[in-house]
């Protein structure tokens, strides 16, 4: 009986060791990718900041133009771009994004453009109206793809297919902290009334007109937001996966130590039993 128990424990130890090798490998892969993803996210933030500053300058310095992207109209339908992970095994990363998105969409008529394999699977399974299912990889999402998405969404917004646009993504704070967030993209907040008594309007002439320049920049602005949000989300996914795999490796190590202790106790009990049987046989 002791021998069978020892054999079972030995097989269990081998199984846990195999799992530990996988989690260690996944942790190393996530760590190596995380450095580059973090650098990309930090490098792309100024692109969004400059576009936002340009839009603000045009709106503040020119009060006699109107843009469909500034009009606050009654909300009948909303559109959400939800960025989640390409894979699982990242702790609560994907779940936190979906919970936040579901809470924000509650009670609204909305369409969803999911980005990332897990996002596509989740919203397809839950029966949401999908704008597109072709962006199933966050890691391979480049500037051109974000530009295509922005073009489709801004055109749909101008045509009145939806009345507001949000992006749900995850902010990369640190290796251990990733915060899911919702950002409103359209309509753009009109800053003109807030700056009536503020800074002086710069003397800039926009050709062919302020409205034309503004409307041409907005799709690039949306592209910048999506590009930055995807970069932040990718870095967050890798950080969450690295943390989860590190914790799994530590748990596996603790389990192996406990199983080795049980194996040694079982082995010691088997040896003691054999000695007892030999002594008892010799006395007879």
């Amino acid at each position: 009986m002791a021998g069978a128990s020892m054999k079972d424990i030995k097989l269990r130890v081998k199984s846990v060791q195999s799992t530990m090798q996988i989690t260690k490998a996944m942790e190393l892969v996530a760590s190596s990718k995380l450095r580059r993803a973090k650098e990309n996210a930090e490098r792309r933030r100024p692109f969004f900041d400059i576009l936002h500053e340009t839009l603000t300058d045009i709106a503040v310095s020119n009060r006699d133009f109107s843009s469909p992207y500034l009009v606050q109209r009654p909300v009948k339908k909303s559109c959400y771009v939800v960025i989640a992970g390409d894979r699982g095994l990242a702790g609560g990363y994907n779940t936190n994004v979906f919970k936040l998105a579901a809470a924000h969409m509650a009670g609204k008529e909305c369409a969803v453009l999911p980005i990332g394999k897990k996002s596509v699977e989740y919203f397809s399974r839950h029966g949401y109206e999908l704008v597109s299912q072709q962006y199933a990889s966050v890691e391979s999402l480049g500037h051109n793809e974000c530009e295509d998405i922005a073009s489709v969404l801004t055109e749909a917004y101008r045509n009145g297919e939806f009345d507001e646009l949000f992006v749900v993504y995850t902010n990369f704070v640190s290796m251990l902290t990733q915060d899911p967030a919702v950002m409103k993209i359209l309509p753009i907040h009109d800053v003109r009334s807030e700056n009536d008594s503020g800074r002086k309007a710069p003397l800039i002439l926009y050709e062919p007109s302020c409205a034309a320049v503004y409307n041409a920049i907005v799709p690039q602005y949306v592209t910048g937001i999506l590009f930055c949000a995807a970069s932040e989300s990718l870095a967050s996914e890798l950080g969450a996966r690295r943390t989860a795999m590190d914790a799994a490796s530590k748990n596996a190590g603790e389990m192996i130590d406990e199983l080795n202790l049980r194996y040694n106790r079982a082995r010691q009990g088997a040896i003691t039993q054999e000695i007892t049987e030999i002594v008892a046989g010799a006395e007879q």
Side-chain angles (χ1 to χ4, degrees):
M1 195 72 179
S5 177
M6 286 169 61
K7 186 177 179 181
D8 291 341
I9 294 172
K10 212 165 188 179
L11 289 172
R12 186 90 185 277
V13 169
K14 285 184 179 179
S15 175
V16 176
Q17 284 174 339
S18 298
T19 303
M20 188 176 179
Q21 287 178 346
I22 295 170
T23 56
K24 275 287 184 185
M26 293 185 71
E27 180 188 347
L28 292 173
V29 170
S31 297
S32 64
K33 288 183 177 180
L34 178 58
R35 187 181 309 160
R36 186 186 300 172
K38 183 182 174 185
E39 289 173 358
N40 287 340
E42 291 172 350
R43 194 166 60 244
R44 290 164 184 172
R45 283 171 191 160
F47 176 66
F48 161 73
D49 293 335
I50 291 170
L51 283 172
H52 184 268
E53 186 178 344
T54 303
L55 288 172
T56 302
D57 285 340
I58 296 173
V60 170
S61 59
N62 299 275
R63 306 173 193 283
D64 57 347
F65 83 98
S66 63
S67 169
Y69 300 114
L70 289 170
V71 176
Q72 303 283 336
R73 58 199 190 203
V75 177
K76 298 176 183 176
K77 188 175 183 180
S78 304
C79 182
Y80 286 81
V81 178
V82 184
I83 305 173
D86 294 334
R87 303 172 189 85
L89 299 176
Y93 169 76
N94 291 312
T95 303
N96 292 337
V97 171
F98 297 145
K99 278 184 179 178
L100 180 62
H104 207 272
M105 289 188 284
K108 294 182 180 180
E109 183 184 351
C110 55
V112 180
L113 196 156
I115 298 178
K117 184 180 178 183
K118 292 297 179 182
S119 185
V120 172
E121 291 175 353
Y122 177 86
F123 289 103
S124 298
R125 188 169 62 247
H126 286 78
Y128 285 87
E129 178 189 340
L130 301 184
V131 177
S132 172
Q133 298 186 48
Q134 69 182 82
Y135 303 103
S137 175
V138 179
E139 193 169 357
S140 63
L141 192 76
H143 185 272
N144 290 337
E145 287 78 15
C146 289
E147 199 167 28
D148 292 340
I149 295 170
S151 177
V152 169
L153 293 176
T154 51
E155 184 179 355
Y157 179 81
R158 288 196 309 271
N159 294 336
E161 294 178 26
F162 54 84
D163 304 298
E164 56 182 1
L165 175 63
F166 297 89
V167 59
V168 184
Y169 68 107
T170 306
N171 270 317
F172 180 80
V173 181
S174 68
M175 293 280 196
L176 300 175
T177 308
Q178 301 85 34
D179 293 333
V182 179
M183 181 180 183
K184 188 174 185 177
I185 304 177
L186 295 176
I188 297 172
H189 180 56
D190 194 344
V191 297
R192 288 178 290 186
S193 59
E194 297 175 4
N195 288 272
D196 284 339
S197 58
R199 59 184 178 180
K200 269 190 174 181
L203 299 175
I204 300 174
L205 180 64
Y206 295 98
E207 293 290 348
S209 67
C210 295
V213 173
Y214 194 89
N215 293 338
I217 292 176
V218 168
Q220 291 300 318
Y221 171 71
V222 176
T223 299
I225 292 178
L226 296 177
F227 197 37
C228 292
S231 301
E232 293 277 347
S233 293
L234 179 59
S236 298
E237 180 188 358
L238 293 170
R241 182 169 294 113
R242 180 191 174 279
T243 302
M245 292 301 99
D246 179 55
S249 298
K250 287 178 181 177
N251 290 338
E254 291 173 3
M255 192 178 292
I256 289 170
D257 291 340
E258 184 183 344
L259 289 169
N260 282 332
L261 183 61
R262 286 171 57 187
Y263 177 81
N264 290 332
R265 284 176 179 170
R267 182 169 173 270
Q268 185 178 0
I271 292 171
T272 303
Q273 184 178 351
E274 288 177 6
I275 292 172
T276 302
E277 289 173 354
I278 291 169
V279 171
E283 287 177 355
Q284 290 177 359

